[in-house]
């Protein structure tokens, strides 16, 4: 039976706190870990990313760029943890908005029989909208939400419907479905049996 890792994912510097606690296989490829984080946080996978363990980074390599990240499709979480000797990783999403996340390894244990991974254990806070302008843009958006006379309220309201945005709300059923879709997609398919000629 494979081992699983319990990860606490926290979006750095954001209030109210945005946190997810998920379990993933210890041998998950880092490009798939990226997709699990995207699904858990509520991002739309519209930008580049990098997973960092100390001074080593993995992401999508850029052709012709030698000092870019290592290929996340060719590395597994277990290797990243062993190679760097780290218990905490960094995940950066969208190099323009620069959303930094801390990934804390809370526990490694055997997988439970019959459980599909990745899976959500706990969640707090609504992820900021994509392309809001990073931390400064998000803080201004929240200020506009709180102040009907804010100079940018109409602009934000047209884009995000401020009255309907609750920074503390979490859509747990949507996260569960997104992670389950990944688990099903990545599940090992049983080898097809050859039929014997009669």
């Amino acid at each position: 039976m494979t081992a699983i890792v319990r990860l606490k994912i926290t979006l750095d510097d954001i209030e109210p706190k945005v946190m997810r606690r998920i379990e993933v296989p210890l041998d998950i490829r880092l490009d798939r870990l990226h997709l699990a984080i995207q699904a858990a946080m509520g991002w739309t996978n519209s930008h580049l990313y990098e997973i960092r363990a100390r001074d080593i980074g993995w992401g999508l390599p850029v052709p012709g760029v030698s000092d870019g990240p290592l290929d996340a499709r060719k590395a597994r979480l277990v290797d990243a943890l062993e190679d760097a000797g780290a218990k905490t990783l960094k995940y950066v999403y969208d190099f323009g908005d620069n959303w930094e996340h801390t990934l804390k390894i809370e526990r490694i244990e055997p997988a439970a029989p019959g459980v599909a991974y990745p899976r959500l254990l706990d969640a707090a806070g609504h992820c900021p909208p994509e392309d809001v302008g990073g931390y400064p843009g998000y803080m201004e958006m929240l200020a506009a939400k709180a102040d009907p006379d804010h100079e940018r309220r109409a602009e934000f309201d047209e884009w995000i419907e401020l009255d309907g945005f609750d920074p503390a709300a979490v859509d747990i059923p949507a996260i569960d479905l997104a992670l389950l879709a990944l688990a099903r997609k990545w599940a090992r398919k049983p080898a097809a049996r050859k039929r014997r000629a009669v």
Side-chain angles (χ1 to χ4, degrees):
M1 184 177 293
T2 187
I4 58 100
V5 176
R6 181 173 296 178
L7 287 175
K8 180 180 180 184
I9 306 164
T10 306
L11 184 55
D12 297 347
D13 304 321
I14 296 296
E15 289 294 331
K17 178 171 81 168
V18 179
M19 180 279 302
R20 305 290 184 264
R21 188 171 275 115
I22 66 172
E23 288 179 336
V24 298
L26 179 59
D27 65 352
I28 191 171
R29 286 189 342 226
L30 293 182
D31 63 322
R32 289 183 172 184
L33 177 59
H34 153 72
L35 293 174
I37 294 168
Q38 289 284 302
M41 296 300 289
W43 296 120
T44 62
N45 195 23
S46 305
H47 302 280
L48 294 174
Y49 70 94
E50 186 171 84
I51 297 171
R52 296 199 60 78
R54 301 197 183 192
D55 59 349
I56 305 169
W58 295 268
L60 293 176
V62 180
V65 177
S66 61
D67 63 344
L70 299 172
D71 192 341
R73 298 168 297 189
K74 296 179 180 177
R76 299 191 178 275
L77 179 57
V78 64
D79 301 323
L81 297 175
E82 287 176 359
D83 290 350
K87 294 273 190 212
T88 302
L89 305 171
K90 285 292 188 179
Y91 172 77
V92 179
Y93 173 63
D94 183 352
F95 299 141
D97 281 2
N98 199 42
W99 296 111
E100 293 187 11
H101 307 67
T102 298
L103 311 175
K104 182 179 179 196
I105 310 304
E106 291 190 323
R107 181 181 303 164
I108 298 174
E109 60 190 13
V115 173
Y117 297 99
R119 73 171 176 165
L120 179 71
L121 299 176
D122 192 16
H126 193 295
C127 204
E130 294 273 354
D131 302 319
V132 74
Y135 174 79
Y138 185 54
M139 291 299 103
E140 187 166 12
M141 187 197 95
L142 292 180
K145 177 178 173 46
D147 179 4
D149 298 322
H150 191 280
E151 63 186 45
R152 293 189 62 200
R153 176 152 180 122
E155 174 190 343
F156 279 118
D157 205 27
E158 184 178 303
W159 175 54
I160 196 70
E161 296 183 43
L162 289 175
D163 290 334
F165 182 83
D166 181 355
V170 181
D171 189 347
I172 289 177
I175 295 170
D176 284 338
L177 282 174
L179 291 173
L180 181 59
L182 291 176
R184 286 180 175 160
K185 180 178 176 181
W186 299 336
R188 290 192 175 108
K189 308 281 188 280
R193 293 184 182 177
K194 293 183 180 179
R195 290 187 175 187
R196 284 197 273 170
V198 182

